[in-house]
PDB file of all heavy atoms in Angstrom:
ATOM      1  N   MET A 395     -30.316 -13.858 215.379  1.00 96.00           N
ATOM      2  CA  MET A 395     -29.480 -14.620 216.285  1.00 96.00           C
ATOM      3  C   MET A 395     -28.478 -15.636 215.533  1.00 96.00           C
ATOM      4  O   MET A 395     -27.539 -15.885 216.039  1.00 96.00           O
ATOM      5  CB  MET A 395     -30.432 -15.384 217.263  1.00 96.00           C
ATOM      6  CG  MET A 395     -31.159 -14.491 218.264  1.00 96.00           C
ATOM      7  SD  MET A 395     -30.054 -13.488 219.229  1.00 96.00           S
ATOM      8  CE  MET A 395     -29.520 -14.670 220.501  1.00 96.00           C
ATOM      9  N   ALA A 396     -28.895 -16.007 214.321  1.00 96.00           N
ATOM     10  CA  ALA A 396     -27.992 -16.781 213.561  1.00 96.00           C
ATOM     11  C   ALA A 396     -26.819 -15.968 213.255  1.00 96.00           C
ATOM     12  O   ALA A 396     -25.650 -16.497 213.149  1.00 96.00           O
ATOM     13  CB  ALA A 396     -28.721 -17.347 212.252  1.00 96.00           C
ATOM     14  N   SER A 397     -26.977 -14.738 212.905  1.00 95.00           N
ATOM     15  CA  SER A 397     -25.917 -13.795 212.609  1.00 95.00           C
ATOM     16  C   SER A 397     -24.972 -13.619 213.760  1.00 95.00           C
ATOM     17  O   SER A 397     -23.839 -13.699 213.697  1.00 95.00           O
ATOM     18  CB  SER A 397     -26.421 -12.489 212.079  1.00 95.00           C
ATOM     19  OG  SER A 397     -27.109 -12.577 210.999  1.00 95.00           O
ATOM     20  N   VAL A 398     -25.643 -13.511 214.970  1.00 93.00           N
ATOM     21  CA  VAL A 398     -24.916 -13.355 216.177  1.00 93.00           C
ATOM     22  C   VAL A 398     -24.038 -14.536 216.423  1.00 93.00           C
ATOM     23  O   VAL A 398     -22.871 -14.416 216.816  1.00 93.00           O
ATOM     24  CB  VAL A 398     -25.902 -13.139 217.402  1.00 93.00           C
ATOM     25  CG1 VAL A 398     -25.061 -13.136 218.762  1.00 93.00           C
ATOM     26  CG2 VAL A 398     -26.529 -11.744 217.220  1.00 93.00           C
ATOM     27  N   LEU A 399     -24.655 -15.748 216.203  1.00 95.00           N
ATOM     28  CA  LEU A 399     -23.902 -16.995 216.437  1.00 95.00           C
ATOM     29  C   LEU A 399     -22.664 -17.113 215.516  1.00 95.00           C
ATOM     30  O   LEU A 399     -21.656 -17.487 215.797  1.00 95.00           O
ATOM     31  CB  LEU A 399     -24.802 -18.198 216.182  1.00 95.00           C
ATOM     32  CG  LEU A 399     -24.165 -19.621 216.361  1.00 95.00           C
ATOM     33  CD1 LEU A 399     -23.548 -19.865 217.701  1.00 95.00           C
ATOM     34  CD2 LEU A 399     -25.173 -20.774 215.850  1.00 95.00           C
ATOM     35  N   ARG A 400     -22.857 -16.636 214.181  1.00 95.00           N
ATOM     36  CA  ARG A 400     -21.711 -16.638 213.246  1.00 95.00           C
ATOM     37  C   ARG A 400     -20.642 -15.787 213.756  1.00 95.00           C
ATOM     38  O   ARG A 400     -19.470 -16.161 213.659  1.00 95.00           O
ATOM     39  CB  ARG A 400     -22.251 -16.256 211.871  1.00 95.00           C
ATOM     40  CG  ARG A 400     -21.077 -16.432 210.830  1.00 95.00           C
ATOM     41  CD  ARG A 400     -21.561 -15.928 209.432  1.00 95.00           C
ATOM     42  NE  ARG A 400     -22.369 -16.892 208.777  1.00 95.00           N
ATOM     43  CZ  ARG A 400     -22.000 -18.085 208.127  1.00 95.00           C
ATOM     44  NH1 ARG A 400     -20.633 -18.416 208.209  1.00 95.00           N
ATOM     45  NH2 ARG A 400     -22.780 -18.778 207.512  1.00 95.00           N
ATOM     46  N   ILE A 401     -20.902 -14.641 214.327  1.00 93.00           N
ATOM     47  CA  ILE A 401     -19.887 -13.687 214.788  1.00 93.00           C
ATOM     48  C   ILE A 401     -19.216 -14.353 216.046  1.00 93.00           C
ATOM     49  O   ILE A 401     -18.078 -14.406 216.229  1.00 93.00           O
ATOM     50  CB  ILE A 401     -20.484 -12.311 215.157  1.00 93.00           C
ATOM     51  CG1 ILE A 401     -21.015 -11.610 213.802  1.00 93.00           C
ATOM     52  CG2 ILE A 401     -19.413 -11.399 215.778  1.00 93.00           C
ATOM     53  CD1 ILE A 401     -21.819 -10.344 214.048  1.00 93.00           C
ATOM     54  N   MET A 402     -20.182 -14.776 216.947  1.00 94.00           N
ATOM     55  CA  MET A 402     -19.625 -15.185 218.293  1.00 94.00           C
ATOM     56  C   MET A 402     -18.853 -16.521 218.191  1.00 94.00           C
ATOM     57  O   MET A 402     -17.934 -16.742 218.964  1.00 94.00           O
ATOM     58  CB  MET A 402     -20.723 -15.391 219.306  1.00 94.00           C
ATOM     59  CG  MET A 402     -21.397 -14.093 219.665  1.00 94.00           C
ATOM     60  SD  MET A 402     -22.659 -14.144 220.888  1.00 94.00           S
ATOM     61  CE  MET A 402     -21.762 -14.468 222.424  1.00 94.00           C
ATOM     62  N   SER A 403     -19.062 -17.322 217.206  1.00 94.00           N
ATOM     63  CA  SER A 403     -18.278 -18.609 217.065  1.00 94.00           C
ATOM     64  C   SER A 403     -17.089 -18.387 216.073  1.00 94.00           C
ATOM     65  O   SER A 403     -16.452 -19.419 215.717  1.00 94.00           O
ATOM     66  CB  SER A 403     -19.197 -19.647 216.499  1.00 94.00           C
ATOM     67  OG  SER A 403     -19.778 -19.323 215.289  1.00 94.00           O
ATOM     68  N   ASN A 404     -16.916 -17.106 215.595  1.00 95.00           N
ATOM     69  CA  ASN A 404     -15.727 -16.727 214.858  1.00 95.00           C
ATOM     70  C   ASN A 404     -15.836 -17.542 213.499  1.00 95.00           C
ATOM     71  O   ASN A 404     -14.798 -18.105 213.200  1.00 95.00           O
ATOM     72  CB  ASN A 404     -14.457 -17.019 215.635  1.00 95.00           C
ATOM     73  CG  ASN A 404     -13.219 -16.259 215.042  1.00 95.00           C
ATOM     74  OD1 ASN A 404     -13.448 -15.597 213.958  1.00 95.00           O
ATOM     75  ND2 ASN A 404     -12.087 -16.380 215.616  1.00 95.00           N
ATOM     76  N   MET A 405     -16.994 -17.613 212.913  1.00 94.00           N
ATOM     77  CA  MET A 405     -17.099 -18.294 211.651  1.00 94.00           C
ATOM     78  C   MET A 405     -17.432 -17.244 210.525  1.00 94.00           C
ATOM     79  O   MET A 405     -18.332 -17.744 209.624  1.00 94.00           O
ATOM     80  CB  MET A 405     -18.091 -19.441 211.753  1.00 94.00           C
ATOM     81  CG  MET A 405     -17.478 -20.590 212.729  1.00 94.00           C
ATOM     82  SD  MET A 405     -18.642 -21.850 213.028  1.00 94.00           S
ATOM     83  CE  MET A 405     -18.606 -22.815 211.532  1.00 94.00           C
ATOM     84  N   LEU A 406     -16.929 -16.165 210.565  1.00 93.00           N
ATOM     85  CA  LEU A 406     -17.195 -15.177 209.501  1.00 93.00           C
ATOM     86  C   LEU A 406     -16.532 -15.504 208.240  1.00 93.00           C
ATOM     87  O   LEU A 406     -15.505 -16.162 208.367  1.00 93.00           O
ATOM     88  CB  LEU A 406     -16.708 -13.730 209.993  1.00 93.00           C
ATOM     89  CG  LEU A 406     -17.531 -13.278 211.161  1.00 93.00           C
ATOM     90  CD1 LEU A 406     -16.706 -12.338 212.047  1.00 93.00           C
ATOM     91  CD2 LEU A 406     -18.805 -12.603 210.705  1.00 93.00           C
ATOM     92  N   ARG A 407     -17.276 -15.259 207.098  1.00 92.00           N
ATOM     93  CA  ARG A 407     -16.587 -15.589 205.790  1.00 92.00           C
ATOM     94  C   ARG A 407     -15.885 -14.346 205.188  1.00 92.00           C
ATOM     95  O   ARG A 407     -16.568 -13.317 204.991  1.00 92.00           O
ATOM     96  CB  ARG A 407     -17.755 -16.060 204.844  1.00 92.00           C
ATOM     97  CG  ARG A 407     -18.345 -17.349 205.388  1.00 92.00           C
ATOM     98  CD  ARG A 407     -19.800 -17.483 204.843  1.00 92.00           C
ATOM     99  NE  ARG A 407     -20.643 -16.441 205.483  1.00 92.00           N
ATOM    100  CZ  ARG A 407     -21.911 -16.250 205.348  1.00 92.00           C
ATOM    101  NH1 ARG A 407     -22.575 -17.041 204.608  1.00 92.00           N
ATOM    102  NH2 ARG A 407     -22.622 -15.217 205.849  1.00 92.00           N
ATOM    103  N   GLU A 408     -14.611 -14.578 204.909  1.00 87.00           N
ATOM    104  CA  GLU A 408     -13.894 -13.476 204.236  1.00 87.00           C
ATOM    105  C   GLU A 408     -14.474 -13.177 202.940  1.00 87.00           C
ATOM    106  O   GLU A 408     -14.868 -14.031 202.169  1.00 87.00           O
ATOM    107  CB  GLU A 408     -12.487 -13.988 204.174  1.00 87.00           C
ATOM    108  CG  GLU A 408     -11.508 -12.852 203.961  1.00 87.00           C
ATOM    109  CD  GLU A 408     -10.274 -13.002 204.988  1.00 87.00           C
ATOM    110  OE1 GLU A 408     -10.486 -13.578 206.136  1.00 87.00           O
ATOM    111  OE2 GLU A 408      -9.214 -12.553 204.614  1.00 87.00           O
ATOM    112  N   GLY A 409     -14.636 -11.838 202.622  1.00 85.00           N
ATOM    113  CA  GLY A 409     -15.030 -11.460 201.362  1.00 85.00           C
ATOM    114  C   GLY A 409     -16.473 -11.588 201.075  1.00 85.00           C
ATOM    115  O   GLY A 409     -16.966 -11.320 200.066  1.00 85.00           O
ATOM    116  N   THR A 410     -17.220 -12.000 202.117  1.00 88.00           N
ATOM    117  CA  THR A 410     -18.735 -12.173 201.859  1.00 88.00           C
ATOM    118  C   THR A 410     -19.469 -10.995 202.301  1.00 88.00           C
ATOM    119  O   THR A 410     -19.220 -10.429 203.300  1.00 88.00           O
ATOM    120  CB  THR A 410     -19.217 -13.390 202.712  1.00 88.00           C
ATOM    121  OG1 THR A 410     -18.510 -14.614 202.322  1.00 88.00           O
ATOM    122  CG2 THR A 410     -20.667 -13.694 202.608  1.00 88.00           C
ATOM    123  N   VAL A 411     -20.509 -10.607 201.409  1.00 83.00           N
ATOM    124  CA  VAL A 411     -21.361  -9.467 201.796  1.00 83.00           C
ATOM    125  C   VAL A 411     -22.654 -10.068 202.295  1.00 83.00           C
ATOM    126  O   VAL A 411     -23.588 -10.296 201.525  1.00 83.00           O
ATOM    127  CB  VAL A 411     -21.590  -8.624 200.583  1.00 83.00           C
ATOM    128  CG1 VAL A 411     -22.294  -7.366 200.884  1.00 83.00           C
ATOM    129  CG2 VAL A 411     -20.227  -8.221 199.895  1.00 83.00           C
TER     130      VAL A 411
END
Side-chain angles (χ1 to χ4, degrees):
M395 289 305 280
S397 295
V398 171
L399 178 61
R400 187 180 281 284
I401 296 172
M402 294 184 71
S403 58
N404 198 359
M405 290 175 77
L406 293 152
R407 296 151 296 183
E408 202 128 327
T410 299
V411 185

